[in-house]
Amino acid sequence: MSEHTQATDVNAAVAAAVKEVGPQPGPLLEVLHAVQHRLGCVPEEAVAPLAAALNLSRAEVHGTITFYHHFRRTPAGRWVVQVCRAESCLSMGGDAVAAHAEKYLGVSMDHGPVTTPCGRITLEPVYCLGLCSQSPAALVGDDPQVHLTPQSVETLLAGLLAADAIGSAA
C-alpha cells in the first residue's frame, strides 16, 4: 500500500469515526475508539486530522492516545496475549512465565506491548486480570489462562502459532 493510500485510509477512518460519534461534548475518547476499531490502531498519521476535526491541538490528541494504554500505535497481532504483571502473579512465578514467553517469541515487553516480527502474536503486560487466586495468569483474547508455568505458556504460544499457520494454509 502506498503512503498516499495509507493517508487516504487514515483520513477516511477519521472522518467516518467523527461522523459516527456525532456532535457531543468531549468526543475524543469515543472517536479514538472508533478509529482504532476501523484501523486496528491509532497511527501517528491520524493525530493531525483528528485534531482538526475536533478543534483540538495535536498535543491534546497525542497526549490522550499515549495516556490510555488501550490505544495502540501499531496494529496488534492476530492473537493478543495479556500477561499479568501484578503482585499476586509475580509472587507465584509470573516473572518466569513472562520471561519464558518473551524468550520463546523473541520479543521484549520492556516498553509495553510488543508484536512478534511475523505479526501473529502481541504480548502485552497488564496489571491485574482479577485472577489472583489462580495466578500466574494471562488472557488470550477473552479466554483466561491460569496456573501458568514456563512450559505451559510455551505450549500455549506454540498452539497459537500452529493454529494461525493452519488457518492461513486453509
PDB file of all heavy atoms in Angstrom, residues 134-162:
ATOM      1  N   GLN A 134      -5.738 -17.749  41.008  1.00  0.00           N
ATOM      2  CA  GLN A 134      -5.321 -18.759  40.035  1.00  0.00           C
ATOM      3  C   GLN A 134      -4.031 -18.349  39.329  1.00  0.00           C
ATOM      4  O   GLN A 134      -3.774 -18.761  38.214  1.00  0.00           O
ATOM      5  CB  GLN A 134      -6.431 -18.964  39.012  1.00  0.00           C
ATOM      6  CG  GLN A 134      -7.740 -19.406  39.647  1.00  0.00           C
ATOM      7  CD  GLN A 134      -8.852 -19.409  38.638  1.00  0.00           C
ATOM      8  OE1 GLN A 134      -8.881 -20.246  37.746  1.00  0.00           O
ATOM      9  NE2 GLN A 134      -9.768 -18.446  38.761  1.00  0.00           N
ATOM     10  N   SER A 135      -3.239 -17.530  40.002  1.00  0.00           N
ATOM     11  CA  SER A 135      -2.047 -16.974  39.382  1.00  0.00           C
ATOM     12  C   SER A 135      -0.927 -18.010  39.276  1.00  0.00           C
ATOM     13  O   SER A 135      -0.942 -18.998  40.003  1.00  0.00           O
ATOM     14  CB  SER A 135      -1.591 -15.743  40.155  1.00  0.00           C
ATOM     15  OG  SER A 135      -1.364 -16.040  41.497  1.00  0.00           O
ATOM     16  N   PRO A 136       0.009 -17.737  38.364  1.00  0.00           N
ATOM     17  CA  PRO A 136       0.068 -16.657  37.377  1.00  0.00           C
ATOM     18  C   PRO A 136      -0.934 -16.868  36.254  1.00  0.00           C
ATOM     19  O   PRO A 136      -1.284 -17.994  35.917  1.00  0.00           O
ATOM     20  CB  PRO A 136       1.500 -16.695  36.866  1.00  0.00           C
ATOM     21  CG  PRO A 136       2.099 -17.961  37.325  1.00  0.00           C
ATOM     22  CD  PRO A 136       1.226 -18.556  38.361  1.00  0.00           C
ATOM     23  N   ALA A 137      -1.398 -15.749  35.700  1.00  0.00           N
ATOM     24  CA  ALA A 137      -2.468 -15.812  34.718  1.00  0.00           C
ATOM     25  C   ALA A 137      -2.182 -14.924  33.512  1.00  0.00           C
ATOM     26  O   ALA A 137      -1.356 -14.021  33.559  1.00  0.00           O
ATOM     27  CB  ALA A 137      -3.782 -15.382  35.366  1.00  0.00           C
ATOM     28  N   ALA A 138      -2.926 -15.205  32.454  1.00  0.00           N
ATOM     29  CA  ALA A 138      -2.873 -14.413  31.230  1.00  0.00           C
ATOM     30  C   ALA A 138      -4.247 -14.506  30.568  1.00  0.00           C
ATOM     31  O   ALA A 138      -5.062 -15.368  30.918  1.00  0.00           O
ATOM     32  CB  ALA A 138      -1.793 -14.943  30.286  1.00  0.00           C
ATOM     33  N   LEU A 139      -4.478 -13.615  29.632  1.00  0.00           N
ATOM     34  CA  LEU A 139      -5.672 -13.688  28.791  1.00  0.00           C
ATOM     35  C   LEU A 139      -5.224 -13.823  27.351  1.00  0.00           C
ATOM     36  O   LEU A 139      -4.318 -13.123  26.906  1.00  0.00           O
ATOM     37  CB  LEU A 139      -6.516 -12.413  28.897  1.00  0.00           C
ATOM     38  CG  LEU A 139      -7.409 -12.210  30.090  1.00  0.00           C
ATOM     39  CD1 LEU A 139      -8.152 -10.881  29.963  1.00  0.00           C
ATOM     40  CD2 LEU A 139      -8.414 -13.331  30.240  1.00  0.00           C
ATOM     41  N   VAL A 140      -5.885 -14.705  26.629  1.00  0.00           N
ATOM     42  CA  VAL A 140      -5.700 -14.793  25.183  1.00  0.00           C
ATOM     43  C   VAL A 140      -7.038 -14.382  24.601  1.00  0.00           C
ATOM     44  O   VAL A 140      -8.023 -15.115  24.710  1.00  0.00           O
ATOM     45  CB  VAL A 140      -5.326 -16.218  24.725  1.00  0.00           C
ATOM     46  CG1 VAL A 140      -5.221 -16.260  23.204  1.00  0.00           C
ATOM     47  CG2 VAL A 140      -4.027 -16.660  25.375  1.00  0.00           C
ATOM     48  N   GLY A 141      -7.081 -13.166  24.060  1.00  0.00           N
ATOM     49  CA  GLY A 141      -8.374 -12.606  23.683  1.00  0.00           C
ATOM     50  C   GLY A 141      -9.172 -12.418  24.957  1.00  0.00           C
ATOM     51  O   GLY A 141      -8.749 -11.719  25.863  1.00  0.00           O
ATOM     52  N   ASP A 142     -10.308 -13.102  25.069  1.00  0.00           N
ATOM     53  CA  ASP A 142     -11.122 -13.046  26.277  1.00  0.00           C
ATOM     54  C   ASP A 142     -11.032 -14.327  27.097  1.00  0.00           C
ATOM     55  O   ASP A 142     -11.775 -14.502  28.063  1.00  0.00           O
ATOM     56  CB  ASP A 142     -12.596 -12.805  25.906  1.00  0.00           C
ATOM     57  CG  ASP A 142     -12.821 -11.431  25.313  1.00  0.00           C
ATOM     58  OD1 ASP A 142     -12.110 -10.489  25.708  1.00  0.00           O
ATOM     59  OD2 ASP A 142     -13.713 -11.299  24.454  1.00  0.00           O
ATOM     60  N   ASP A 143     -10.146 -15.237  26.719  1.00  0.00           N
ATOM     61  CA  ASP A 143     -10.047 -16.536  27.382  1.00  0.00           C
ATOM     62  C   ASP A 143      -8.951 -16.548  28.443  1.00  0.00           C
ATOM     63  O   ASP A 143      -7.763 -16.413  28.114  1.00  0.00           O
ATOM     64  CB  ASP A 143      -9.767 -17.644  26.353  1.00  0.00           C
ATOM     65  CG  ASP A 143     -10.894 -17.788  25.350  1.00  0.00           C
ATOM     66  OD1 ASP A 143     -12.064 -17.620  25.742  1.00  0.00           O
ATOM     67  OD2 ASP A 143     -10.597 -18.066  24.176  1.00  0.00           O
ATOM     68  N   PRO A 144      -9.322 -16.725  29.708  1.00  0.00           N
ATOM     69  CA  PRO A 144      -8.309 -16.761  30.767  1.00  0.00           C
ATOM     70  C   PRO A 144      -7.462 -18.039  30.702  1.00  0.00           C
ATOM     71  O   PRO A 144      -7.970 -19.120  30.402  1.00  0.00           O
ATOM     72  CB  PRO A 144      -9.121 -16.723  32.056  1.00  0.00           C
ATOM     73  CG  PRO A 144     -10.520 -17.045  31.684  1.00  0.00           C
ATOM     74  CD  PRO A 144     -10.678 -16.835  30.218  1.00  0.00           C
ATOM     75  N   GLN A 145      -6.190 -17.858  30.965  1.00  0.00           N
ATOM     76  CA  GLN A 145      -5.243 -18.959  31.074  1.00  0.00           C
ATOM     77  C   GLN A 145      -4.665 -18.856  32.478  1.00  0.00           C
ATOM     78  O   GLN A 145      -4.091 -17.824  32.831  1.00  0.00           O
ATOM     79  CB  GLN A 145      -4.132 -18.830  30.028  1.00  0.00           C
ATOM     80  CG  GLN A 145      -4.636 -18.662  28.605  1.00  0.00           C
ATOM     81  CD  GLN A 145      -5.379 -19.880  28.107  1.00  0.00           C
ATOM     82  OE1 GLN A 145      -4.942 -21.015  28.315  1.00  0.00           O
ATOM     83  NE2 GLN A 145      -6.510 -19.661  27.459  1.00  0.00           N
ATOM     84  N   VAL A 146      -4.818 -19.891  33.295  1.00  0.00           N
ATOM     85  CA  VAL A 146      -4.466 -19.783  34.708  1.00  0.00           C
ATOM     86  C   VAL A 146      -3.459 -20.846  35.126  1.00  0.00           C
ATOM     87  O   VAL A 146      -3.233 -21.821  34.406  1.00  0.00           O
ATOM     88  CB  VAL A 146      -5.729 -19.856  35.589  1.00  0.00           C
ATOM     89  CG1 VAL A 146      -6.654 -18.682  35.286  1.00  0.00           C
ATOM     90  CG2 VAL A 146      -6.469 -21.168  35.406  1.00  0.00           C
ATOM     91  N   HIS A 147      -2.872 -20.628  36.299  1.00  0.00           N
ATOM     92  CA  HIS A 147      -1.853 -21.522  36.869  1.00  0.00           C
ATOM     93  C   HIS A 147      -0.744 -21.783  35.842  1.00  0.00           C
ATOM     94  O   HIS A 147      -0.321 -22.926  35.651  1.00  0.00           O
ATOM     95  CB  HIS A 147      -2.468 -22.845  37.348  1.00  0.00           C
ATOM     96  CG  HIS A 147      -3.532 -22.675  38.377  1.00  0.00           C
ATOM     97  ND1 HIS A 147      -3.294 -22.168  39.639  1.00  0.00           N
ATOM     98  CD2 HIS A 147      -4.867 -22.923  38.329  1.00  0.00           C
ATOM     99  CE1 HIS A 147      -4.421 -22.118  40.316  1.00  0.00           C
ATOM    100  NE2 HIS A 147      -5.395 -22.559  39.552  1.00  0.00           N
ATOM    101  N   LEU A 148      -0.305 -20.727  35.180  1.00  0.00           N
ATOM    102  CA  LEU A 148       0.694 -20.871  34.129  1.00  0.00           C
ATOM    103  C   LEU A 148       2.071 -21.208  34.693  1.00  0.00           C
ATOM    104  O   LEU A 148       2.423 -20.788  35.800  1.00  0.00           O
ATOM    105  CB  LEU A 148       0.781 -19.587  33.305  1.00  0.00           C
ATOM    106  CG  LEU A 148      -0.429 -19.272  32.435  1.00  0.00           C
ATOM    107  CD1 LEU A 148      -0.312 -17.876  31.836  1.00  0.00           C
ATOM    108  CD2 LEU A 148      -0.597 -20.316  31.342  1.00  0.00           C
ATOM    109  N   THR A 149       2.814 -21.928  33.893  1.00  0.00           N
ATOM    110  CA  THR A 149       4.226 -22.223  34.159  1.00  0.00           C
ATOM    111  C   THR A 149       4.975 -21.858  32.891  1.00  0.00           C
ATOM    112  O   THR A 149       4.355 -21.660  31.826  1.00  0.00           O
ATOM    113  CB  THR A 149       4.436 -23.726  34.439  1.00  0.00           C
ATOM    114  OG1 THR A 149       4.092 -24.458  33.240  1.00  0.00           O
ATOM    115  CG2 THR A 149       3.597 -24.210  35.616  1.00  0.00           C
ATOM    116  N   PRO A 150       6.306 -21.763  32.954  1.00  0.00           N
ATOM    117  CA  PRO A 150       7.033 -21.500  31.711  1.00  0.00           C
ATOM    118  C   PRO A 150       6.700 -22.517  30.614  1.00  0.00           C
ATOM    119  O   PRO A 150       6.496 -22.145  29.461  1.00  0.00           O
ATOM    120  CB  PRO A 150       8.501 -21.570  32.148  1.00  0.00           C
ATOM    121  CG  PRO A 150       8.454 -21.079  33.571  1.00  0.00           C
ATOM    122  CD  PRO A 150       7.186 -21.694  34.121  1.00  0.00           C
ATOM    123  N   GLN A 151       6.593 -23.787  30.978  1.00  0.00           N
ATOM    124  CA  GLN A 151       6.283 -24.812  29.973  1.00  0.00           C
ATOM    125  C   GLN A 151       4.870 -24.658  29.432  1.00  0.00           C
ATOM    126  O   GLN A 151       4.641 -24.778  28.232  1.00  0.00           O
ATOM    127  CB  GLN A 151       6.481 -26.226  30.530  1.00  0.00           C
ATOM    128  CG  GLN A 151       6.288 -27.306  29.488  1.00  0.00           C
ATOM    129  CD  GLN A 151       7.180 -27.128  28.258  1.00  0.00           C
ATOM    130  OE1 GLN A 151       8.379 -26.899  28.374  1.00  0.00           O
ATOM    131  NE2 GLN A 151       6.598 -27.207  27.071  1.00  0.00           N
ATOM    132  N   SER A 152       3.903 -24.369  30.303  1.00  0.00           N
ATOM    133  CA  SER A 152       2.521 -24.254  29.814  1.00  0.00           C
ATOM    134  C   SER A 152       2.341 -23.016  28.939  1.00  0.00           C
ATOM    135  O   SER A 152       1.557 -23.046  27.992  1.00  0.00           O
ATOM    136  CB  SER A 152       1.517 -24.265  30.967  1.00  0.00           C
ATOM    137  OG  SER A 152       1.606 -23.102  31.761  1.00  0.00           O
ATOM    138  N   VAL A 153       3.062 -21.934  29.231  1.00  0.00           N
ATOM    139  CA  VAL A 153       2.941 -20.752  28.369  1.00  0.00           C
ATOM    140  C   VAL A 153       3.588 -21.031  27.014  1.00  0.00           C
ATOM    141  O   VAL A 153       3.096 -20.579  25.985  1.00  0.00           O
ATOM    142  CB  VAL A 153       3.482 -19.471  29.051  1.00  0.00           C
ATOM    143  CG1 VAL A 153       4.991 -19.352  28.962  1.00  0.00           C
ATOM    144  CG2 VAL A 153       2.838 -18.233  28.434  1.00  0.00           C
ATOM    145  N   GLU A 154       4.667 -21.804  27.000  1.00  0.00           N
ATOM    146  CA  GLU A 154       5.281 -22.174  25.715  1.00  0.00           C
ATOM    147  C   GLU A 154       4.321 -23.033  24.896  1.00  0.00           C
ATOM    148  O   GLU A 154       4.157 -22.815  23.682  1.00  0.00           O
ATOM    149  CB  GLU A 154       6.591 -22.927  25.940  1.00  0.00           C
ATOM    150  CG  GLU A 154       7.262 -23.311  24.638  1.00  0.00           C
ATOM    151  CD  GLU A 154       8.634 -23.933  24.826  1.00  0.00           C
ATOM    152  OE1 GLU A 154       9.349 -23.577  25.784  1.00  0.00           O
ATOM    153  OE2 GLU A 154       8.990 -24.775  23.978  1.00  0.00           O
ATOM    154  N   THR A 155       3.663 -23.986  25.536  1.00  0.00           N
ATOM    155  CA  THR A 155       2.678 -24.828  24.854  1.00  0.00           C
ATOM    156  C   THR A 155       1.536 -23.978  24.305  1.00  0.00           C
ATOM    157  O   THR A 155       1.087 -24.179  23.167  1.00  0.00           O
ATOM    158  CB  THR A 155       2.151 -25.904  25.822  1.00  0.00           C
ATOM    159  OG1 THR A 155       3.252 -26.695  26.285  1.00  0.00           O
ATOM    160  CG2 THR A 155       1.112 -26.788  25.162  1.00  0.00           C
ATOM    161  N   LEU A 156       1.080 -23.033  25.121  1.00  0.00           N
ATOM    162  CA  LEU A 156       0.014 -22.125  24.694  1.00  0.00           C
ATOM    163  C   LEU A 156       0.430 -21.326  23.464  1.00  0.00           C
ATOM    164  O   LEU A 156      -0.300 -21.265  22.462  1.00  0.00           O
ATOM    165  CB  LEU A 156      -0.339 -21.174  25.843  1.00  0.00           C
ATOM    166  CG  LEU A 156      -1.249 -19.997  25.507  1.00  0.00           C
ATOM    167  CD1 LEU A 156      -2.660 -20.477  25.222  1.00  0.00           C
ATOM    168  CD2 LEU A 156      -1.247 -18.996  26.646  1.00  0.00           C
ATOM    169  N   LEU A 157       1.614 -20.722  23.507  1.00  0.00           N
ATOM    170  CA  LEU A 157       2.085 -19.902  22.382  1.00  0.00           C
ATOM    171  C   LEU A 157       2.322 -20.747  21.136  1.00  0.00           C
ATOM    172  O   LEU A 157       1.984 -20.327  20.023  1.00  0.00           O
ATOM    173  CB  LEU A 157       3.354 -19.147  22.785  1.00  0.00           C
ATOM    174  CG  LEU A 157       3.174 -18.130  23.912  1.00  0.00           C
ATOM    175  CD1 LEU A 157       4.526 -17.610  24.385  1.00  0.00           C
ATOM    176  CD2 LEU A 157       2.262 -16.992  23.481  1.00  0.00           C
ATOM    177  N   ALA A 158       2.877 -21.925  21.314  1.00  0.00           N
ATOM    178  CA  ALA A 158       3.093 -22.831  20.172  1.00  0.00           C
ATOM    179  C   ALA A 158       1.754 -23.196  19.540  1.00  0.00           C
ATOM    180  O   ALA A 158       1.635 -23.256  18.309  1.00  0.00           O
ATOM    181  CB  ALA A 158       3.838 -24.086  20.627  1.00  0.00           C
ATOM    182  N   GLY A 159       0.746 -23.429  20.376  1.00  0.00           N
ATOM    183  CA  GLY A 159      -0.588 -23.748  19.855  1.00  0.00           C
ATOM    184  C   GLY A 159      -1.184 -22.593  19.059  1.00  0.00           C
ATOM    185  O   GLY A 159      -1.814 -22.798  18.018  1.00  0.00           O
ATOM    186  N   LEU A 160      -0.979 -21.359  19.544  1.00  0.00           N
ATOM    187  CA  LEU A 160      -1.489 -20.196  18.813  1.00  0.00           C
ATOM    188  C   LEU A 160      -0.788 -20.052  17.469  1.00  0.00           C
ATOM    189  O   LEU A 160      -1.438 -19.796  16.447  1.00  0.00           O
ATOM    190  CB  LEU A 160      -1.309 -18.918  19.639  1.00  0.00           C
ATOM    191  CG  LEU A 160      -2.096 -18.829  20.935  1.00  0.00           C
ATOM    192  CD1 LEU A 160      -1.718 -17.555  21.689  1.00  0.00           C
ATOM    193  CD2 LEU A 160      -3.596 -18.889  20.671  1.00  0.00           C
ATOM    194  N   LEU A 161       0.514 -20.225  17.464  1.00  0.00           N
ATOM    195  CA  LEU A 161       1.257 -20.128  16.205  1.00  0.00           C
ATOM    196  C   LEU A 161       0.848 -21.234  15.243  1.00  0.00           C
ATOM    197  O   LEU A 161       0.688 -20.996  14.051  1.00  0.00           O
ATOM    198  CB  LEU A 161       2.759 -20.164  16.474  1.00  0.00           C
ATOM    199  CG  LEU A 161       3.332 -18.931  17.166  1.00  0.00           C
ATOM    200  CD1 LEU A 161       4.769 -19.188  17.624  1.00  0.00           C
ATOM    201  CD2 LEU A 161       3.259 -17.711  16.260  1.00  0.00           C
ATOM    202  N   ALA A 162       0.647 -22.442  15.765  1.00  0.00           N
ATOM    203  CA  ALA A 162       0.223 -23.554  14.909  1.00  0.00           C
ATOM    204  C   ALA A 162      -1.179 -23.336  14.386  1.00  0.00           C
ATOM    205  O   ALA A 162      -1.452 -23.572  13.198  1.00  0.00           O
ATOM    206  CB  ALA A 162       0.297 -24.875  15.696  1.00  0.00           C
TER     207      ALA A 162
END
